[in-house]
Every structure is written in C-alpha cells, then in structure tokens.
Amino acid sequence: MIDIVKISEIVDEAARTATGIPQFSDTRALGVDEAYAVQSLSMQRRYARGEKRIGFKMGLTSRAKMVQMGVEDVIIGRLTDEMREEEGGIISVADYVHPRVEPEIAFLMKKPLSGVVSMLEAMDAVGAVAGAIEIIDSRYNAFKFDLGDVIADNSSSSGFVLGNWFAPDTDISNLGMVLSKNGRAMEIGSSAAILGHPVRSLVSAARMVAQLNEELKPGDIVLAGGATAAFAVAPGDSILLEVQSLGQVAFNVGA
Ligand code: OOG
Ligand code: MG
C-alpha cells in the first residue's frame, strides 16, 4: 500500500526547506487521484503553519510547456500568501531549489466559480486581469517528474509576481508577451498559446477545483499557466515581463 500521508510529509518538507528529492516515479508512480490526495494533505500542513489559501495555478496549459516538461495533461496547484513576491522587489534563490520563470496571465475572481462552466460564465466571475510572472520550482532533482510526481509537488507552485490589475473586459485573447533577463528577450509568445484563450484555463480551473471539492472564491487569484517555456534564473538576474495592454512586471534575483 502506498503511504499518501508519508509522501505528503516528504513533499512538504522538501518545499519548506527548498531541498531537492528523488521522483516517486523512480520507485512507484503515483496515480492522478493519489497525487491530488498528496497535494491536499501537504497543503493542510502549510495551512497549519499559518499560510493562507489565496487561489490556484493552472499548469501545462500551453504546448510549449507540455513539450518542455514532457507531460501532456493540464494540472492544478494551490497558491498561498507566502508564495507572492513583491513586484519590483528582490527574490532570494535560497528560498527555492532551482527556480525558473514563465510568463502568465492572472485572474482576480469577484464571484464564486466551480464545476462545468462556459467561457462567458467564467469571464463573468472575473473582477480583474493582470500580467504575472510565475516562479516555478520543482522539488524533484534535475526538475524531472512525471504527471503524478508534479501534481503531488503542488504542480511546482513556489512563487509568483503580479502586475497591475486591469478591467475584466480587457481583451486578453491574443496579447504579445516578452519575458526578458538582463535586458535580453528570452521568451516571446502570446496569451493565445494558453489553450487558445487564457479564459479556457479558468474554465478548466473551475472544473478541476470542483473535482477537488473546492471552489474558486471571490478574491481568489488564478494563474492561467505559462504561455512559453520557462527558463532558469540566478542571483544577479533582472527579470522583466512586458504584456501588450497589461504593462510590465519585474523583479530582481538575489542570493
Ligand atoms: C510544472 C508546472 C507548470 C505552467 O504554467 O505550465 C506550470 C512545471 O513546469 O514545473 O506552472
Ligand atoms: Mg506556471
């Protein structure tokens, strides 16, 4: 019998101490339901330490991300208040195992949403949209995992930086996104890479939270998923995201 509780302690401790661990799939692969059970239990440990639930992040919603990570399914993870990093601030790599950044679109919910919904119903529940940089960090050695591994590891949720909020009727269907490091464009894409339209990611989030017996609540933040592949950051790096119509999001990387 697989020990879900023990595995949740291992992933939580790896995240808490920013320490790499071997993949579970090296010995016994986790099924999707088992992996989400691990994720829920590990989040309960975080909440017990005082972290606050503030929303969700969708993952592997673009072709570029699926190809980069070798995993072909859309996944969901939880966000807490401690994961939010200050826009224009300095992150500390010591808080991460091997951080990578990716360009995203964020939603701020104004109405509850869960279950099977249309794009229009999803948009009607959104209070604001923003550009965002997700700072993902797999706790698995060499950033390698299978589907069950990554879900158990809270879908690599670790940090994120939000830009300014814009009106919910801003057309986010096909916005140019440029993610730069030290003044050099590293990844260039479009919000359309996110399932054809980022709101589709919110539709998927509503369905997936319902399967987890949760819901999107007013005030929740939802990250739609990386529009391009992610790249690694190191101390001294200066990271800038420019999103057409949504302005800039930036931060610096410190030790
Ligand atoms: C998994 C998380 C994927 C995204 O936006 O696609 C993700 C990973 O790549 O480590 O956050
Ligand atoms: Mg992401």
Side-chain angles (χ1 to χ4, degrees):
M1 257 296 282
I2 189 147
D3 191 342
I4 299 291
V5 174
K6 178 84 196 140
I7 293 173
S8 71
E9 287 169 11
I10 293 169
V11 290
D12 175 57
E13 198 56 13
R16 191 182 69 77
T17 60
T19 311
I21 54 172
Q23 295 173 243
F24 298 105
S25 53
D26 285 346
T27 45
R28 153 62 156 92
L30 293 163
V32 169
D33 291 344
E34 291 171 336
Y36 277 114
V38 169
Q39 187 188 118
S40 296
L41 285 176
S42 76
M43 292 312 296
Q44 281 169 29
R45 296 172 63 84
R46 285 183 183 240
Y47 302 144
R49 284 198 297 274
E51 289 184 49
K52 304 267 181 304
R53 167 208 179 288
I54 59 162
F56 293 86
K57 60 82 62 81
M58 297 299 289
L60 309 179
T61 50
S62 69
R63 201 64 222 142
K65 284 290 304 180
M66 289 185 186
V67 168
Q68 182 180 32
M69 304 323 298
V71 179
E72 301 256 319
D73 296 77
V74 171
I75 55 178
I76 191 166
R78 273 89 165 185
L79 301 177
T80 73
D81 57 341
E82 287 202 1
M83 297 178 190
R84 185 164 179 184
E85 302 271 15
E86 183 188 327
E87 202 285 323
I90 304 178
I91 71 153
S92 170
V93 283
D95 294 340
Y96 298 83
V97 183
H98 34 210
R100 293 181 178 180
V101 289
E102 52 193 23
E104 304 223 1
I105 299 288
F107 297 101
L108 180 63
M109 305 307 294
K110 71 168 184 216
K111 292 183 190 168
L113 192 70
S114 109
V116 177
V117 298
S118 68
M119 283 173 74
L120 271 177
E121 287 166 330
M123 267 146 89
D124 185 54
V126 171
V129 296
I133 303 172
E134 186 179 12
I135 309 163
I136 48 168
D137 192 28
S138 176
R139 268 54 66 155
Y140 300 110
N141 294 330
F143 226 112
K144 287 226 169 70
F145 45 71
D146 78 353
L147 179 64
D149 290 321
V150 66
I151 292 168
D153 184 29
N154 196 21
S155 298
S156 305
S157 307
S158 195
F160 64 95
V161 184
L162 296 177
N164 290 323
W165 292 115
F166 285 80
D169 60 357
T170 309
D171 181 0
I172 54 165
S173 60
N174 183 15
L175 301 179
M177 306 176 86
V178 180
L179 188 59
S180 305
K181 177 167 92 172
N182 305 325
R184 188 156 158 238
M186 299 286 289
E187 291 290 344
I188 300 169
S190 160
S191 60
I194 304 163
L195 295 172
H197 191 310
V199 170
R200 288 218 179 92
S201 179
L202 191 58
V203 168
S204 297
R207 173 178 47 79
M208 293 175 88
V209 292
Q211 287 160 354
L212 300 174
N213 292 314
E214 297 218 30
E215 64 168 5
L216 301 177
K217 298 181 182 162
D220 275 1
I221 292 162
V222 180
L223 296 178
T228 70
F231 61 85
V233 297
D237 286 344
S238 183
I239 305 298
L240 171 70
L241 171 65
E242 295 163 275
V243 186
Q244 188 185 350
S245 305
L246 299 181
Q248 302 190 341
V249 189
F251 68 93
N252 294 306
V253 184

